[in-house]
Amino acid sequence: MAAFVVWVREAVSGRVSVCEAPPGALVRELLPVRDSPGPLCDFYVKCNGRRVGAEEPLRSGLVYSVEPRLCGGKGGFGSMLRALGAQIEKTTNREACRDLSGRRLRDVNHEKAMAEWIKKQAEREAEKEQRRLERLKRKLAEPKHYFTDPEYHRQCSDMSERLEDSVIKENPSFAGAKSSLILGVMTRL
């Protein structure tokens, strides 16, 4: 029998090359050979997305992919995720989701709230103006409380007369006219 053609995708570079394989060739012959013992452990071969055993024969016209074997960890990541999942609370907030048109629900809800706020803006302005007018009317209205104590008024007038008499006694030149100083003192009392 004649040799057949096999397509091989290299492990590191991803380049596809054509290899001629003799009849009866095995998959292990595609693996890179090193001086170190056990080259079969460092790589594995896939054909059409499925892993192929090293002792299977090669078939003509198929694409074989040589993949490097990745070293695994200790494990335990799944149990760590389960423990973390028990601590996380489920949320009912769907604001970050999207509607059928692709818009975020947060944005849609915000637009609705803004439209409602704008509708009520005229009402708020009217209420504000009403409160301002009421405040102004209260300020302009006459005071409800009047201070009418005849004794207090009598004492004020007596005190101003005594003050004027004492100033005139001290300086007789003020006898003819009332001083602005006396008026200022009397108005402060």
Side-chain angles (χ1 to χ4, degrees):
M1 258 174 105
F4 55 87
V5 176
V6 176
W7 298 86
V8 178
R9 181 179 296 125
E10 293 181 17
V12 179
S13 66
R15 247 182 321 171
V16 177
S17 58
V18 178
C19 294
E20 288 188 19
L26 299 176
V27 170
R28 101 168 92 177
E29 295 173 15
L30 297 176
L31 296 172
V33 179
R34 292 190 196 164
D35 295 336
S36 62
L40 297 179
C41 296
D42 294 338
F43 296 93
Y44 63 94
V45 178
K46 288 177 21 179
C47 178
N48 292 333
R50 293 187 179 164
R51 193 166 169 201
V52 180
E55 301 302 321
E56 290 185 25
L58 292 174
R59 292 184 287 183
S60 178
L62 295 179
V63 176
Y64 289 91
S65 177
V66 179
E67 305 282 336
R69 195 175 299 275
L70 299 175
C71 298
K74 283 178 53 177
F77 188 65
S79 63
M80 188 170 51
L81 284 177
R82 277 192 301 277
L84 184 64
Q87 295 173 0
I88 297 175
E89 296 180 21
K90 301 290 183 203
T91 182
T92 58
N93 185 2
R94 303 282 179 229
E95 292 285 314
C97 296
R98 296 182 183 266
D99 62 2
L100 294 177
S101 64
R103 298 171 57 203
R104 290 209 185 269
L105 292 179
R106 170 180 46 233
D107 298 337
V108 173
N109 294 340
H110 183 53
E111 285 178 11
K112 286 179 187 175
M114 283 296 291
E116 196 66 31
W117 186 83
I118 289 171
K119 281 182 189 176
K120 293 181 179 179
Q121 179 66 22
E123 293 175 21
R124 282 193 302 276
E125 291 292 328
E127 288 176 14
K128 185 178 177 183
E129 184 64 23
Q130 181 71 23
R131 285 194 306 267
R132 188 184 70 80
L133 288 175
E134 288 174 4
R135 236 184 356 257
L136 188 60
K137 284 180 184 177
R138 279 196 309 263
K139 287 180 182 177
L140 293 177
E142 292 188 26
K144 297 175 186 175
H145 177 72
Y146 295 103
F147 183 73
T148 53
D149 186 10
E151 181 64 25
Y152 173 77
H153 290 296
R154 187 186 61 75
Q155 286 178 0
C156 283
S157 65
D158 288 347
M159 189 183 326
S160 65
E161 287 175 10
R162 282 195 310 243
L163 178 66
E164 187 177 341
D165 291 343
S166 64
V167 168
I168 291 172
K169 252 187 204 177
E170 188 64 33
N171 192 353
S173 65
F174 290 127
K178 290 188 176 180
S179 168
S180 61
L181 175 66
I182 295 173
L183 288 176
V185 170
M186 289 192 309
T187 54
R188 280 189 227 140
L189 295 176

